[in-house]
Structures are given as C-alpha cells and as structure tokens.
Amino acid sequence: MTTIQENQVTGATIWLTGLPSAGKTTIAYELAGRLREEGHRVEVLDGDEIRTFLTAGLGFSREDRHTNVQRIGFLADLLARNGVKTLVPVIAPYADSREAVRKRHQASGAAYIEVHVATPVEVCSERDVKGLYAKQAAGEISGLTGVDDPYEEPESPDLRIESHNQSVQESAAALHALLAERGLA
C-alpha cells in the first residue's frame, strides 16, 4: 500500500483578476493544460460558468458581486486545501472582496496567488469577446466593469500580466514560473 506524502499534493488558488475580455480565462485554460500534463490536479472555476450554476440569481450590484466572489473564494479554498490547483479567472472588481478571499486562504493555510491581467480597457473593448463593450456603447447595458462601473486594480498582486504585450503562451509561462518559484509547480 502506497501512501502519498502531503507535500506531493499541494493545492493552491490562482486568482486571475482583470477587466472583461482581458484574457483571464484564456490564460487560465492554457496554464491548466500545462499543469495537467505535469500530473497536477487542476480545476478552472470560470466566472461565467459559476454564475450559471453556483451563483445564479445574483445580480451585479456591489453586494451581489461581493457575495459572488466570496462563494467562489470559499470553493477555491476548499479545492486548494484538498490538493487541487484551482485557477479562478473572475473579474472580482473590488479590492476588499479579493482581500477577504486572500484572508480566507491565509486562515486555512491554503496557498493563494493573485494575478492581475492588466489589459487596458481600449484593448479589452477591441477584443470584446462577449460583445459587452458594444452593448454598453449602444446603451443596451450599464454597469460594465471598467467602463461605467468601478474596477479597483490590485495594488500589489503576486504577478501582473500585460496580455496585450505577450502571447497567451508567454503569459501562462510567466505564471507557471511563479508557481515553480513558490514550490507549487
């Protein structure tokens, strides 16, 4: 009977925050593939999927956004404590919400890395993956993060990625290098 040493199954939460269409999810899935190839247990908690299944019914008020982030943070912490590399590409626009998630991880002893995918709003608007910027410009929606709703940039993230200046592979490699440096990859 073989036993797994606890340090061989180190989980972590890697939270990728940034504006809509910044590249968070694309980078997360690129890194997830690389980590899986290396034998890590990996989950991606995609913000859109979470809103469909776990936090359906929440709107986009400050309170609802905070609740959404806290629920995702709880799940990420749970997975990380159980040996899963948990990649969380979620806007999480408010610094106090992200800090509460960091504190939850500190209290549980789970590793937590905050990554700011720092793509300028002009670039995000050009990418407009979901058509949100076009809808906002046409007056069809309001409350778009970074345009007519606040986005509080992280003051000191563990890593800042400028996805508009490098490829998805380069962005994922930079994040992988940070994980390796911290003994998590």
Side-chain angles (χ1 to χ4, degrees):
M1 182 175 185
T2 305
T3 59
I4 297 176
Q5 297 290 327
E6 191 170 323
N7 63 359
Q8 290 177 310
V9 187
T10 303
T13 293
I14 300 95
W15 196 287
L16 295 95
T17 179
L19 296 173
S21 297
K24 301 175 301 295
T25 302
T26 305
I27 294 166
Y29 278 108
E30 179 71 23
L31 178 61
R34 182 170 178 175
L35 290 170
R36 285 186 183 109
E37 286 175 4
E38 294 173 352
H40 296 278
R41 294 168 55 197
V42 180
E43 289 295 334
V44 177
L45 300 181
D46 182 302
D48 293 332
E49 290 178 3
I50 294 292
R51 277 200 174 268
T52 299
F53 297 105
L54 186 65
T55 61
L58 289 178
F60 292 91
S61 68
R62 184 177 177 99
E63 296 78 24
D64 281 358
R65 288 176 191 247
H66 180 76
T67 299
N68 184 53
V69 167
Q70 296 317 297
R71 288 180 185 175
I72 296 169
F74 170 81
L75 181 56
D77 179 58
L78 180 69
L79 289 167
R81 286 185 285 123
N82 284 282
V84 179
K85 300 289 186 299
T86 309
L87 306 176
V88 186
V90 173
I91 295 168
Y94 301 112
D96 60 343
S97 296
R98 294 189 307 266
E99 184 58 24
V101 171
R102 179 185 295 279
K103 286 180 178 175
R104 169 183 292 283
H105 283 72
Q106 287 172 339
S108 75
Y112 178 85
I113 294 177
E114 182 179 72
V115 179
H116 180 205
V117 182
T119 308
V121 69
E122 300 80 21
V123 174
C124 295
S125 179
E126 288 173 19
R127 291 178 181 170
D128 205 7
V129 178
K130 300 172 199 158
L132 297 175
Y133 292 93
K135 287 179 182 176
Q136 191 277 337
E140 296 173 24
I141 63 170
S142 63
L144 181 59
T145 302
V147 177
D148 60 352
D149 209 52
Y151 177 74
E152 299 170 356
E153 290 190 6
E155 290 182 16
S156 55
D158 297 288
L159 179 65
R160 188 175 317 278
I161 293 175
E162 295 185 2
S163 71
H164 57 293
N165 291 331
Q166 59 190 30
S167 70
V168 171
Q169 294 76 18
E170 289 169 329
S171 296
L175 184 45
H176 188 275
L178 176 63
L179 293 175
E181 176 184 304
R182 299 211 178 157
L184 298 169

